[in-house]
Amino acid sequence: MKQDVRILLLGEPKVGKTSLIMSLVGEEFPERVPPRAEEITIPADVTPEKVPTHIVDYSEKEQSDEVLRDEIVKANVVCVVYDVTNEDTIEKIKTKWIPLVNGDAEKGNKVPIILVGNKSDLRSGSSMETILPIMNQFSEIETCVECSAKNLKNISELFYYAQKAVLHPTAPLYDPEDKQLKPACVRALSRIFYISDQDNDRILSDAELNSFQKSCFGNPLAPQALEDVKTVVWKNTSDGVQDNGLTLNGRKHRAGGKHRAAGGKHRAAGGKHRAAGGKHRGAGGKHRRVLMRFGLVKFDESEICSIEPAKLKVFMVLKSCCVNAESVACGFRLSAYLDVHRCLEHLGYLGYPILTEQESQTAAVTDAVTREKDVDLEKRQTQRSAFLCKVIGPRGTGKTAFLQAFVGRSVLSKGNASSAFSPYVINTVQIGNQEKYLILNEVDVEMEFLKASDAACDVACLMYDASDPHSFDYCASIYKQHYMDGSVPCVLVASKADLPEAKQFHGMTPAEFCYKHRLPPPLPFCGLTLDAAGSSIYSRLAWAAMHPHLNGSDLSSASFWLRVALGSAVVAVLGFAVYRAVARLK
Ligand code: GTP
Ligand code: MG
């Protein structure tokens, strides 16, 4: 949105430029005026569009051609004023003033112009007949208005049109030379149509039209206005109205046919413009099927074919992350967690919040992501619904298998390389009677680990290969380096539980290590046979993330430690007995 609007008044001497400005400001007609009014600034809060607006007068008597040129360059919009009783001042619009303003400007780069016919109090008829050919000749003329500084007629309207010409220009929407909507505008309007068409019957019912109207302008249309819209469309198109609702063709017609309506809609389309613009043609049938599987039926054929590659990529990622293609919600949790801005853009692209009548898009994302951990520690349990778990371990430990098992896939049977899989997966886990989203992120690191920022997450899953004697050493050092003093709960997982367990070279056994650091004991995992014990690890991870203050230890692990303690007591007793037996033999 523009910061300031600068309106410049030009025209032949004595047409009433200065009088118009003074009438606006003083709200009465000044009998005597100076040659040139001082520049006036209207503060933002009293203008309809809430933008500070400067109004600048011009006087041939007081200003040189050079100064005039400078003023033209600074202006956002020019009002060319003529005297409705003076043909010569109308003739000069096309022979002098418009060439002076836009003579050198390229198409698409022209300053918008408003034609202002002053002194309408002195003439009974309208000057439109002479003005219309000029309007047709110069596409930069946004509109024309007849007014009277003397009667105060149409004065504030004139400045409102000028402001609007700058803030909601028609040029990006409508090509006056070709007399049709620009392609980007057609695309944006089509998208708005599909988004507003909530029941996907390709017809905008009264209710759908009004919910669009409400979301853009705050108010629904009055019943009569609704009927008028449909009547206009019905009269002007062959297929614009069907089953008492607007079709896509009708929608475009409505926007194109009415100048003022199109201006307003531009504002509505604004947010979507970015999404609709800069499309890339040529994404093929494969991508289309993917989008269809996502239930994104709000794309017509051409839209699907022209979706941006970047956007497609995200949808592909969502697909590979979701446990099933229909659960887009899962995917959005993930994309919200990873990239809030991008997620907002996608929500907007899909028509949120118009579709769901939510207060804001942000609310949807906030819910998933933004609650702070500090609050969690205070409350002793978090209300958040999505958690990020980093799965960290040396190469070949089975991290990918662990991630894929979470979404019900087996890596081993397909014989795929790990690189074929996304480093993120998301699925729901049941914690008590609540459903939570758990995001697993595999951290691919070589033997030495990570910046501190890489370690940040809601719960760390340190994975080691129980059959590889060197594997645990790595986990222990990661723990000491990044998690020992922090507040991130850690859970150790011993992978390849089906293979014979190797004695780890680390100073202590994994169980002893966990005991010493008050961690829950390592949980065995086997990617080959995913059983109930294996899948309970995911709940365990989410549980740990939900209860950061417990930092991993809970009652079930207390009972485990009791067993460990008892176990070592038994070993100790046994050892003592063996010692005694051996001693006796000696
Ligand atoms: P320059 O400063 O010389 O360029 O002229 P200007 O365009 O600023 O015109 P100005 O406001 O000085 O008005 C010229 C004359 O027209 C004055 O005598 C005004 O009183 C008169 N005038 C301006 N507006 C109206 C109007 O709406 N109706 C009538 N009847 N007279 C007007
Ligand atoms: Mg003047």
Side-chain angles (χ1 to χ4, degrees):
M1 189 57 87
K2 266 211 137 48
Q3 289 289 302
D4 278 43
V5 172
R6 197 171 169 87
I7 303 171
L8 173 64
L9 274 72
L10 299 179
E12 292 300 293
K14 302 287 162 238
V15 291
K17 298 180 293 295
T18 309
S19 302
L20 283 170
I21 297 174
M22 308 285 261
S23 291
L24 174 82
V25 180
E27 289 179 13
E28 60 177 3
F29 179 60
E31 289 299 337
R32 298 171 61 106
V33 291
R36 181 169 182 257
E38 291 283 322
E39 175 178 328
I40 63 159
T41 297
I42 306 173
D45 52 337
V46 295
T47 71
E49 297 283 351
K50 307 280 178 252
V51 180
T53 300
H54 311 278
I55 299 174
V56 184
D57 194 8
Y58 163 73
S59 156
E60 196 180 270
K61 226 190 276 174
E62 293 205 344
Q63 290 169 293
S64 68
D65 287 355
E66 211 165 90
V67 174
L68 173 59
R69 235 160 240 299
D70 283 352
E71 284 297 348
I72 290 174
V73 170
K74 281 195 277 178
N76 301 119
V77 52
V78 170
C79 295
V80 178
V81 185
Y82 63 93
D83 179 343
V84 292
T85 64
N86 185 339
E87 285 283 334
D88 184 50
T89 62
I90 298 179
E91 187 63 23
K92 287 277 172 50
I93 297 171
K94 51 182 184 185
T95 57
K96 178 176 175 186
W97 295 107
I98 294 184
L100 189 69
V101 174
N102 279 330
D104 306 327
E106 283 172 21
K107 192 185 166 197
N109 221 2
K110 295 182 173 174
V111 182
I113 288 177
I114 289 172
L115 299 185
V116 179
N118 188 33
K119 308 195 191 181
S120 67
D121 57 290
L122 296 180
R123 181 175 167 164
S124 52
S126 150
S127 62
M128 276 309 138
E129 255 173 50
T130 18
I131 288 302
L132 274 176
I134 305 179
M135 289 190 70
N136 283 333
Q137 186 183 343
F138 299 95
S139 60
E140 65 265 44
I141 301 176
E142 284 277 332
T143 189
C144 64
V145 53
E146 287 192 351
C147 60
S148 162
K150 189 163 186 176
N151 292 351
L152 303 180
K153 198 180 146 213
N154 273 348
I155 306 292
S156 45
E157 281 85 349
L158 133 69
F159 290 101
Y160 173 58
Y161 291 148
Q163 208 180 46
K164 219 170 64 115
V166 178
L167 299 174
H168 310 296
T170 46
L173 305 177
Y174 183 73
D175 190 333
E177 273 154 42
D178 300 349
K179 297 210 177 358
Q180 54 182 334
L181 294 172
K182 298 229 172 128
C185 175
V186 172
R187 278 208 302 272
L189 285 172
S190 304
R191 274 209 57 69
I192 293 171
F193 180 93
Y194 286 114
I195 287 168
S196 308
D197 178 20
Q198 296 176 20
D199 58 7
N200 293 318
D201 66 351
R202 312 248 151 167
I203 292 171
L204 285 194
S205 66
D206 289 0
E208 287 167 341
L209 243 170
N210 265 339
S211 97
F212 162 76
Q213 203 75 21
K214 245 169 81 183
S215 69
C216 294
F217 309 109
N219 283 311
L221 285 174
Q224 187 54 49
L226 255 176
E227 284 314 307
D228 290 350
V229 166
K230 281 186 282 189
T231 309
V232 169
V233 172
W234 179 77
K235 273 190 188 156
N236 290 286
T237 62
S238 54
D239 56 353
V241 179
Q242 243 177 48
D243 296 339
N244 201 30
L246 290 184
T247 64
L248 185 59
N249 281 342
R251 189 99 182 101
K252 285 178 197 160
H253 177 81
R254 189 192 158 205
K258 280 187 164 182
H259 246 217
R260 295 186 61 172
K265 208 145 299 143
H266 184 238
R267 192 166 44 157
K272 265 140 239 156
H273 224 233
R274 211 165 33 142
K279 291 286 169 51
H280 163 92
R281 300 232 152 245
K286 183 175 135 212
H287 296 152
R288 192 162 98 196
R289 280 196 302 278
V290 171
L291 293 170
M292 286 304 196
R293 275 183 69 201
F294 269 104
L296 299 178
V297 286
K298 293 199 170 291
F299 294 82
D300 71 342
E301 299 271 308
S302 63
E303 272 293 317
I304 296 166
C305 295
S306 63
I307 193 163
E308 249 173 63
K311 221 151 262 154
L312 250 178
K313 211 167 136 196
V314 172
F315 284 124
M316 298 299 272
V317 171
L318 293 185
K319 176 181 166 274
S320 66
C321 293
C322 291
V323 61
N324 70 50
E326 264 61 51
S327 76
V328 184
C330 253
F332 271 121
R333 298 278 158 165
L334 178 59
S335 101
Y337 214 111
L338 301 179
D339 184 345
V340 175
H341 285 287
R342 186 131 33 110
C343 181
L344 286 176
E345 208 177 297
H346 293 153
L347 285 173
Y349 192 79
L350 294 174
Y352 195 96
I354 296 165
L355 268 179
T356 49
E357 296 210 331
Q358 291 279 333
E359 284 281 303
S360 72
Q361 296 181 345
T362 328
V365 178
T366 318
D367 165 56
V369 192
T370 53
R371 281 176 204 252
E372 287 296 326
K373 251 233 185 90
D374 302 352
V375 181
D376 301 341
L377 288 171
E378 231 166 72
K379 280 194 184 166
R380 313 223 110 209
Q381 179 168 334
T382 175
Q383 302 302 308
R384 265 172 40 188
S385 60
F387 299 100
L388 177 63
C389 168
K390 293 228 162 133
V391 180
I392 302 157
R395 280 266 163 92
T397 312
K399 299 185 293 295
T400 304
F402 184 68
L403 262 69
Q404 294 303 316
F406 186 38
V407 290
R409 296 194 199 114
S410 170
V411 184
L412 305 152
S413 60
K414 283 184 190 152
N416 281 323
S418 293
S419 58
F421 295 95
S422 159
Y424 286 95
V425 294
I426 182 167
N427 204 349
T428 51
V429 285
Q430 198 73 24
I431 303 293
N433 55 2
Q434 302 172 56
E435 194 166 68
K436 300 285 179 184
Y437 291 90
L438 182 66
I439 299 160
L440 298 184
N441 172 209
E442 162 176 1
V443 181
D444 192 14
V445 278
E446 286 290 37
M447 287 312 279
E448 78 223 73
F449 181 55
L450 301 181
K451 300 185 292 294
S453 60
D454 292 335
C457 54
D458 298 309
V459 54
C461 172
L462 298 175
M463 184 176 273
Y464 68 95
D465 180 346
S467 67
D468 174 356
H470 299 281
S471 192
F472 183 73
D473 208 27
Y474 174 87
C475 278
S477 71
I478 297 284
Y479 177 78
K480 285 183 188 157
Q481 213 178 324
H482 292 284
Y483 297 109
M484 194 156 77
D485 307 319
S487 57
V488 177
C490 290
V491 173
L492 270 87
V493 171
S495 71
K496 309 194 185 170
D498 54 311
L499 300 178
E501 190 174 345
K503 185 179 171 348
Q504 294 291 333
F505 279 142
H506 188 74
M508 315 175 208
T509 67
E512 285 167 340
F513 181 89
C514 289
Y515 183 58
K516 182 179 161 205
H517 294 282
R518 305 184 137 268
L519 293 169
L523 303 168
F525 173 77
C526 168
L528 276 179
T529 55
L530 189 65
D531 49 13
S535 32
S536 75
I537 298 178
Y538 304 113
S539 314
R540 187 67 186 73
L541 289 168
W543 191 91
M546 275 176 77
H547 302 87
H549 63 286
L550 290 177
N551 210 6
S553 60
D554 64 345
L555 284 177
S556 65
S557 65
S559 71
F560 170 86
W561 289 124
L562 204 60
R563 266 182 282 133
V564 169
L566 276 176
S568 29
V570 171
V571 172
V573 169
L574 261 177
F576 185 63
V578 171
Y579 166 78
R580 269 212 314 217
V582 172
R584 209 180 293 153
L585 279 174
K586 275 190 178 169

